[in-house]
Amino acid sequence: MKQSLLLLLLSILSLNIEEGEDVITIDLSQEEAEIPSSLYGIFFEEITHSGDGGLYAEMIRNRGFEDGNLPSGTMLKDGHAVAKPLHCYSNDSINHFKIAWHDSLYLEGWEVKCDGRTATSLHKITDQKPLNRATPHSLFLNLDKAQSDVWVINSGYWGIAVTKGEKYNFQFYLYSTDLSGCVVKVALIDSKDQIVSSRNIRIDKDNSWQHYEGTFTADASANDLRFALIFPDKGKVNIDFVSMFPDNTFRGHKNGLRKDVAGMLEALHPDFVRWPGGCIVEGLTMDNRIKWKETIGDIVERPGEYNLWGYRSTYGFGYHEFLQFCEDIGANGMFVCNAGMSCLFRNGDYWTDERQVDDLIQEALDAIEYAIGDTSTTYGRKRAENGHAQPFPLKYVEVGNENIGLRYARNYNRFYKAIKKKYPQIEVICALMFSPYLQETEELEIIDPHYYETAGWFYKNADVYDKLPDNIPYKIYVGEYAAIGRSSLYSSLAEAAYLTGVERNADQVQMVSYAPLIEHAAHGKDHLLVLKNDSVYGRTNYYVLKMFSENRPDVNLSTVLKPAVPATMFRTKGYIGLGTNNTEAEFKDLKVTVDGQKITTAGWEDFAEKWNAIRGSWKVDGEVLHQSQKGIDAFAILKDMEFEDCTIELKAKKISGSEGFRVVFGGTDLKNYFMADMGSHTNESVIFREMNDEGSISLFDYRNTTSILANQWYTVRIEIKGDHWRCFLNDELQYEYTYTLDKKHYVVSGYDREREEVIVKLVNAEAENWKVRLQLDNAVSIASEGTKIVLSAVDRFDENSFEAPLKIVPVISGLSGISDSFSFSCQPNSLTILRIPCKK
Ligand code: AHR
């Protein structure tokens, strides 16, 4: 027996390591990154009816008959809302932004019925009798033309739900002619138009707007009701601002939030709440951006705005309500302001004119004053008038959202200076991700990279922040992250794996928030909370976040994972090819060498026989191969040849489009291959990428920030050696990566100083048990019993649902047999948190 093997055996025996156990050594004497209380927060944006029809408790949809208003900054043309053809801030293109539009939107959620049938000739939307300037439209009814009672029905947000014994407060405005003294019946009706509750309200005055209100108490629970105003008499009437709220809102606020939904958010113990977005901060056009001043004050006078996620926001859950929510749940507010540019994936128009930017900066300063200014200031006074004299807990302002480029950096510099000058205590977040334009900023506190990637990406890149240089001059706030694709425990554990890396590097990554937060089930997306009118459930990633947030230690402890069996080294092997993504490009002078020997060259004359053009439009033009199709990921491979260690060289030129070019290698079939992706992430970096059955996984740590310029030839060289790949542009190393075949096992540990407990977080995303030996070094004392909290399921693709909302939730139980070295088995497909009382 060799000496090293003997030593290994001896050490195994001395530690009592069982066969197949990985060893996790936690050294209590070695504290690492401090973990700030700011780490886990939430990000609210009005998307997929997260607010209207979601968190915001309003039960009537399109309460002010304003849903047909065009998005600000657009005009109606040929059935479309068309934006002005202004230049996009990122590349000066004209995006010709438009969306299909129809006047029928004014009646979204409403139906007028007479004699049991839908009526079309009794009513119209009008702005002739504006209730106020901000919301001029109302529904006009000519009851004189009706043969029987006229029912004006609202179906709420996909049905109205009531709970037995609960109270519901309604209100509406009428402007009547010849109806004074008559009665309007206010009713809740079922799906067969049967009245289940009603109130008769006497119309007290004609020829002016009058306000009416009342309350229902539900006799029985139901979730398929509608709200109706029933007019039995002749006359004419305009109806506006029809609203109904449960009496029992979160913390009892009048213009309040749904108790169940807000309660689920509060249970995450978020340290901060980001509001109002997201892309809606930017808007379809600059005019369409959220203007916070329109979101405060009397809800009857809030104009609302079409939001770029496809419906009109009421602005009911406005700036004041957001700040109130922060206060209610003990969180810090994070307000996001527009930085002078609309969303570059929409119209992208921008303001850089000094006066316009000054106005935007003032808008942001006024928002801060509203939140924290004293009541002698203009906006502090407004806050008091709106019922809150004390300041709100606003701590952060983010300048813009997902912006890029020099124009952004210049505007950011101006916002930063102005905000810091007046409010040095506010922490200012820069919306740039890891981007070359960071160099253009004068001062940086925090940047905001976003990650919408596949589960595979999160597993592969759980260590992404371990690779950050120690000396980056800013902190990181991951404002949005989500494992996209099939919603399941598997994708939630991918996020858990990623969060172990976040926590380990919490001295640099100081805040994270998942996105999007809430979806109405009618949208069929997969966000953290899924709701409908009568219920809400948390997906498994809600519980992942809750477990991390509730078990946040104060400081990391040195944690070393030694696998029992080292991972086998990966050997790259397979076909090679070329590609582009949404980009037109040209390629020439391809050469592949193995061991210094030229194996293949391409002048492209034999492209048709030797290559397989899988996607795209590939044409040979002399010595140049041209790929012209945009809007897809184009891809062509060299047939019948397999390469291992090799060097791929060629020249490539981007013609136009949003990215650069790609060199494919290690392909085993059409779904499984790797690539050097030059100009990935809308041309922000050069990285490697893996394509596999789960989708596309970018293999990067975001340190690379090279963009591909159009209309110039680049010399490209890709070196492949075993598991290691290097990508050069014009002979300069851009990015290198070592591909590993590690098991999906992740661990991080830390110390809770107050409770004197070691907290160990273990993610096992494999389908079998993960046997570990936990070794706690340098503890003064260790209790023999602790606690374990486990989130797991037999089927990794399982998920919670309305039918089984609590199918996969954390299970808390005792943990016994703890010592300075003890065995533990993590269940298949699980996140396990151990809390071990330990003195140090
Ligand atoms: O979370 C949805 C959207 O994704 C956000 O609005 C935006 O910031 C990101 O692109």
Side-chain angles (χ1 to χ4, degrees), residues 437-551:
Y437 297 102
L438 288 174
Q439 288 151 18
E440 308 297 333
T441 60
E442 286 157 16
E443 275 172 284
L444 269 183
E445 285 178 85
I446 309 170
I447 67 161
D448 178 7
H450 294 175
Y451 302 82
Y452 292 102
E453 302 282 350
T454 54
W457 182 87
F458 284 95
Y459 284 121
K460 269 261 173 293
N461 291 283
D463 61 350
V464 63
Y465 305 114
D466 298 344
K467 299 174 188 165
L468 283 171
D470 287 338
N471 54 355
I472 49 167
Y474 46 78
K475 301 292 179 199
I476 295 163
Y477 160 45
V478 180
E480 301 177 35
Y481 73 91
I484 52 174
R486 182 174 174 185
S487 151
S488 65
L489 180 62
Y490 181 71
S491 60
S492 304
L493 291 179
E495 290 164 12
Y498 169 74
L499 290 179
T500 61
V502 163
E503 211 164 274
R504 189 166 46 248
N505 293 283
D507 51 341
Q508 290 178 311
V509 187
Q510 301 232 306
M511 296 184 284
V512 287
S513 47
Y514 178 91
L517 187 63
I518 303 172
E519 64 155 308
H520 192 291
H523 284 265
K525 293 260 171 34
D526 294 307
H527 301 165
L528 206 69
L529 292 183
V530 188
L531 57 77
K532 52 191 177 76
N533 58 6
D534 62 351
S535 48
V536 55
Y537 73 87
R539 281 178 52 212
T540 43
N541 57 357
Y542 169 84
Y543 292 103
V544 164
L545 194 56
K546 191 164 186 290
M547 286 166 75
F548 271 79
S549 166
E550 287 177 345
N551 294 284

Side-chain angles (χ1 to χ4, degrees), residues 45 47 278-279 309 401-402 450 452 480 515-516:
E45 177 173 30
I47 180 173
C279 297
W309 299 116
N401 173 68
E402 289 189 350
H450 294 175
Y452 292 102
E480 301 177 35

Side-chain angles (χ1 to χ4, degrees), residues 199-436:
R199 292 277 171 279
N200 284 339
I201 302 254
R202 187 161 301 279
I203 300 177
D204 41 42
K205 213 169 168 193
D206 278 335
N207 301 321
S208 62
W209 282 106
Q210 298 298 318
H211 181 241
Y212 301 94
E213 61 189 355
T215 298
F216 293 118
T217 303
D219 294 332
S221 296
N223 66 3
D224 60 350
L225 302 185
R226 288 166 298 148
F227 178 95
L229 293 176
I230 303 171
F231 296 90
D233 296 299
K234 299 283 179 205
K236 294 186 179 59
V237 65
N238 287 63
I239 306 169
D240 207 350
F241 200 80
V242 186
S243 165
M244 185 165 78
F245 275 79
D247 194 55
N248 191 9
T249 56
F250 185 67
R251 301 282 200 273
H253 297 297
K254 206 158 171 240
N255 179 44
L257 307 180
R258 255 174 71 169
K259 211 173 175 177
D260 54 348
V261 185
M264 292 279 282
L265 296 178
E266 183 181 31
L268 286 172
H269 314 288
D271 186 73
F272 62 88
V273 183
R274 176 176 171 220
W275 181 97
C279 297
I280 69 170
V281 167
E282 303 164 89
L284 297 172
T285 64
M286 274 303 285
D287 289 342
N288 175 252
R289 74 188 192 280
I290 287 213
K291 303 168 198 86
W292 73 268
K293 290 178 191 174
E294 294 179 352
T295 75
I296 57 167
D298 186 355
I299 52 170
V300 181
E301 296 193 24
R302 295 187 196 178
E305 178 60 86
Y306 178 81
N307 102 50
L308 48 65
W309 299 116
Y311 57 96
R312 193 172 179 86
S313 309
T314 61
Y315 281 172
F317 179 54
Y319 187 48
H320 187 97
E321 291 74 21
F322 143 69
L323 292 166
Q324 182 63 61
F325 181 55
C326 291
E327 183 182 272
D328 287 345
I329 64 170
N332 293 300
M334 180 189 293
F335 171 67
V336 188
C337 64
N338 182 293
M341 35 217 48
S342 72
C343 180
L344 71 100
F345 300 111
R346 277 83 176 188
N347 209 40
D349 50 303
Y350 62 94
W351 293 356
T352 48
D353 170 71
E354 200 149 315
R355 205 176 32 78
Q356 288 178 310
V357 178
D358 282 347
D359 287 348
L360 285 174
I361 293 173
Q362 193 55 51
E363 215 170 279
L365 292 173
D366 292 345
I368 304 172
E369 186 172 287
Y370 185 88
I372 61 173
D374 68 50
T375 50
S376 64
T377 62
T378 310
Y379 286 95
R381 186 162 51 248
K382 266 206 189 325
R383 182 189 68 239
E385 282 162 14
N386 291 335
H388 200 284
Q390 290 307 308
F392 279 122
L394 182 77
K395 185 167 176 193
Y396 309 95
V397 170
E398 178 158 0
V399 180
N401 173 68
E402 289 189 350
N403 298 117
I404 62 170
L406 196 56
R407 287 184 173 123
Y408 170 77
R410 288 189 179 140
N411 281 7
Y412 162 83
N413 287 336
R414 297 182 54 196
F415 273 82
Y416 182 90
K417 268 193 220 122
I419 295 171
K420 280 299 196 188
K421 189 166 170 218
K422 190 149 186 217
Y423 299 104
Q425 73 274 38
I426 293 286
E427 295 185 28
V428 179
I429 300 167
C430 172
L432 289 173
M433 309 208 190
F434 293 95
S435 142

